[in-house]
Amino acid sequence: MACGGWVVFEDEAGQPLTPPRARSWGRKGCTPVVRVRGRDSGRVSMAGLTYYKAGRRSRMFYAVREYRGRKGEPKGKGWRDLRVLLVRAHTQLGGAIVLMWDNLRMHLVEPMRQFIADHADWLTVFQLPSHSPDLNPQEGV
């Protein structure tokens, strides 16, 4: 790995698009009504990268996928999406990347491991220990 590379943290998240059923406070005599359709309206999946480099301003790069339940539509992000995100980040940053991420299954699949091995000249990956949100600055964001 080249000296002076970018330190990158990667994480994913997903959120249903159906609003939660909840109660709310209203003015006296006016019962608040929250209208929610009964069917599932899909979900949104996100993957984000935060970049740090000494002497430089930190940055964030992300990708979003919306799932509406259409036939043949991917339900969420997969290892191919992460691969594309990493290649785009490398192109945009123009330097070596030291990547830290958790032990999500898509990080550990064989095609992703092969991609990491094939790009060892600019990509170094460290797996965070299981159950270590205190080590990952993106947890809770």
Side-chain angles (χ1 to χ4, degrees):
M1 182 197 81
C3 292
W6 290 86
V7 176
V8 178
F9 292 89
E10 189 273 339
D11 209 0
E12 305 81 16
Q15 179 67 38
L17 295 175
T18 304
R21 298 186 82 178
R23 295 180 182 199
S24 178
W25 294 95
R27 284 191 233 150
K28 189 173 183 176
C30 297
T31 304
V33 178
V34 180
R35 301 198 190 283
V36 178
R37 291 182 289 169
R39 67 178 185 86
D40 182 22
S41 62
R43 66 181 288 112
V44 62
S45 298
M46 301 148 278
L49 303 169
T50 53
Y51 307 100
Y52 303 94
K53 188 172 186 176
R56 302 282 295 270
R57 191 178 159 125
S58 61
R59 298 166 71 178
M60 183 173 169
F61 193 68
Y62 64 93
V64 177
R65 168 170 285 156
E66 187 177 346
Y67 170 69
R68 290 290 188 174
R70 295 182 183 102
K71 193 173 187 173
E73 182 181 29
K75 290 185 179 182
K77 296 224 164 270
W79 69 268
R80 288 178 184 90
D81 299 306
L82 293 178
R83 179 184 62 190
V84 168
L85 192 61
L86 287 170
V87 169
R88 288 174 56 200
H90 171 62
T91 303
Q92 186 179 42
L93 296 172
I97 292 177
V98 178
L99 176 65
M100 293 181 219
W101 61 16
D102 55 16
N103 290 305
L104 185 66
R105 187 175 47 175
M106 78 173 93
H107 298 164
L108 306 173
V109 296
E110 184 56 35
M112 183 55 87
R113 289 179 191 235
Q114 187 61 49
F115 170 77
I116 292 166
D118 291 345
H119 296 90
D121 57 324
W122 60 267
L123 181 60
T124 303
V125 177
F126 291 99
Q127 298 286 144
L128 292 170
S130 297
H131 308 295
S132 59
D134 53 320
L135 297 177
N136 189 347
Q138 291 185 167
E139 286 298 327
V141 175

